[in-house]
Amino acid sequence: MSNVSMSVIPADIALGRLLADIRRLVVIESPSSDLAAVERSARAVGALIAERLGAEAETLVIDGVTHLRVRFGDGPSRVLILTHHDTVWPIGTLERIPFEVEGDILTGPGSFDMKAGLVSGIHAIAAVLERTPALDGVTLLVTGDEELGSSTSRELIEAEAAGCAGVLVLEAAADGGALKIARKGVSTYRVVITGRASHAGLEPELGVNAVVELAHQIVRIAALGAAEHGTTVTPTVVDGGTAQNTVPATASVRVDVRAATRAEQDRVDSAIRSLSPVLERASITVEGGPNRPPMEPEASAALFERTRRVAAEIGIEHLAGVSVGGGSDGNFTAGIGVPTLDGLGAVGAGAHADHEHVRVHHLPERTALVAALIEDLAGAAR
């Protein structure tokens, strides 16, 4: 039996207010690496939470990064709504890509990824509070370093998710509004070659060419991909050498790895750490490793089916789910075994690109879905 009451969903989630609140956050630019900007953004989010939810957000500063948390009720958290307020866009992007709404298209840096989703989540909680002022067991977590890999917030995210019945990740939806029911795990490496410098004209034979060794290793690294398993291993940034007439003593390559399963992520990790030199007297050092575990389909399966049922009850049909290559904080919660559903945020396209945009007409429906799912999960937990 469903815990959703149709009366919890307003007949028309106020689109004008949604748009106004999205603008409030988008015009406060918050590039992840600018800690002062992230702090200013957090203050704006906190003010919005206070206004819409009547709650004071806790400010959590970890290694200089500002995160926010709001807990509803005195009981243990059973539903975690997971969002972030940092973006990839540098200060000044608004001058080039201003916040605008033209017809069904809303634009602005960080609008799709993921300030519209954050605002939608706040409005969804507000809709639930209209019916259940004594809402219990629900936590809203707004982190400030997701775009940098969540190094300061990972432990916080995992601690808040532990024991929850479900984690709702309000990252942007996949194409066509599909939810994200699986994500690849992400690993990042820097493979460093150490050789020996010598004069390239006078005594090249005395040198150990780190760039040549790196070329051998790049071929090996690229060959670790496995298309049949959805595993990609991509050498990206290469650096090496100091002067035209000098045998290079050092060289390096950065490597991006995406894997759909923990077994594949572990296989590639082991292989990269086992690289051995081809050239005599060269050496290899490997930095980095797995950053986000895979969010495998099993983590979302039951929650996705529950969401489809809840969606149908409020008139949303044909809700699709897809697997995607990008990572999110949902990888962490799924990685510790907590049911997790991602892509519940804005419908649109262009994350991290100049054509980033939100499809306006989906905003009320998406907000209503999140509200219904919160009530269903919180009700089942009581």
Side-chain angles (χ1 to χ4, degrees):
M1 177 134 178
S2 173
N3 293 293
V4 175
S5 169
M6 287 294 290
S7 62
V8 76
I9 308 302
D12 183 13
I13 295 280
L15 179 57
R17 186 173 292 182
L18 276 166
L19 296 178
D21 288 350
I22 293 169
R23 182 186 186 281
R24 285 172 62 173
L25 299 190
V26 170
V27 299
I28 299 178
E29 296 175 287
S30 51
S32 308
S33 57
D34 187 331
L35 298 185
V38 171
E39 192 275 334
R40 287 193 298 272
S41 172
R43 279 191 274 117
V45 175
L48 182 60
I49 288 169
E51 184 174 332
R52 298 295 179 224
L53 304 181
E56 183 176 350
E58 299 174 73
T59 299
L60 308 169
V61 181
I62 304 174
D63 295 337
V65 182
T66 308
H67 316 288
L68 297 171
R69 177 178 63 199
V70 188
R71 290 174 171 156
F72 295 91
D74 298 323
S77 181
R78 297 291 292 161
V79 182
L80 175 62
I81 303 158
L82 186 53
T83 69
H84 68 86
H85 68 107
D86 60 310
T87 78
V88 300
W89 298 100
I91 296 291
T93 302
L94 270 172
E95 297 176 11
R96 184 170 60 85
I97 310 174
F99 176 89
E100 291 181 344
V101 179
E102 294 187 4
D104 192 43
I105 301 299
L106 180 156
T107 58
S111 56
F112 181 57
D113 185 13
M114 65 166 294
K115 291 186 177 181
L118 169 54
V119 170
S120 180
I122 293 170
H123 280 244
I125 296 171
V128 177
L129 287 170
E130 284 291 318
R131 175 175 173 82
T132 313
L135 181 64
D136 191 35
V138 175
T139 297
L140 170 65
L141 185 62
V142 188
T143 65
D145 64 350
E146 193 274 345
E147 299 293 2
L148 294 180
S150 308
S151 60
T152 75
S153 59
R154 178 174 182 172
E155 289 185 8
L156 174 64
I157 291 165
E158 292 176 340
E160 290 299 323
C164 282
V167 176
L168 309 180
V169 185
L170 302 192
E171 287 282 0
D175 290 349
L179 302 186
K180 297 172 180 178
I181 57 175
R183 285 183 178 272
K184 290 184 179 180
V186 181
S187 304
T188 58
Y189 300 90
R190 181 171 177 257
V191 178
V192 181
I193 309 297
T194 302
R196 179 181 178 184
S198 66
H199 195 290
L202 298 177
E203 299 175 317
E205 70 282 357
L206 298 182
V208 178
N209 196 315
V211 169
V212 172
E213 179 64 45
L214 182 64
H216 287 294
Q217 299 304 327
I218 287 175
V219 172
R220 290 178 171 180
I221 291 167
L224 294 174
E228 68 274 19
H229 298 301
T231 305
T232 60
V233 181
T234 309
T236 56
V237 180
V238 175
D239 183 54
T242 56
Q244 173 68 34
N245 62 353
T246 303
V247 173
T250 61
S252 66
V253 60
R254 294 186 181 273
V255 184
D256 179 282
V257 178
R258 309 287 170 133
T261 66
R262 186 74 71 106
E264 274 294 283
Q265 190 174 47
D266 291 344
R267 176 188 68 81
V268 175
D269 184 67
S270 177
I272 288 180
R273 296 187 187 284
S274 300
L275 292 170
S276 59
V278 173
L279 302 182
E280 187 177 353
R281 295 179 296 160
S283 63
I284 300 173
T285 302
V286 176
E287 302 170 355
N291 168 258
R292 299 181 192 271
M295 174 181 159
E296 300 190 40
E298 293 77 12
S300 67
L303 188 51
F304 177 55
E305 287 307 311
R306 185 174 194 153
T307 301
R308 294 180 72 178
R309 171 181 54 75
V310 168
E313 291 175 357
I314 62 171
I316 300 172
E317 299 180 354
H318 311 299
L319 192 62
V322 298
S323 300
V324 297
S328 85
D329 288 338
N331 290 64
F332 298 136
T333 61
I336 62 170
V338 179
T340 300
L341 188 59
D342 206 333
L344 283 158
V347 178
H352 300 192
D354 282 2
H355 68 285
E356 178 179 21
H357 66 273
V358 172
R359 300 298 298 270
V360 170
H361 79 275
H362 286 283
L363 286 168
E365 177 182 272
R366 210 65 168 189
T367 304
L369 174 60
V370 174
L373 194 51
I374 292 170
E375 190 184 41
D376 184 71
L377 289 167
R382 288 197 292 268

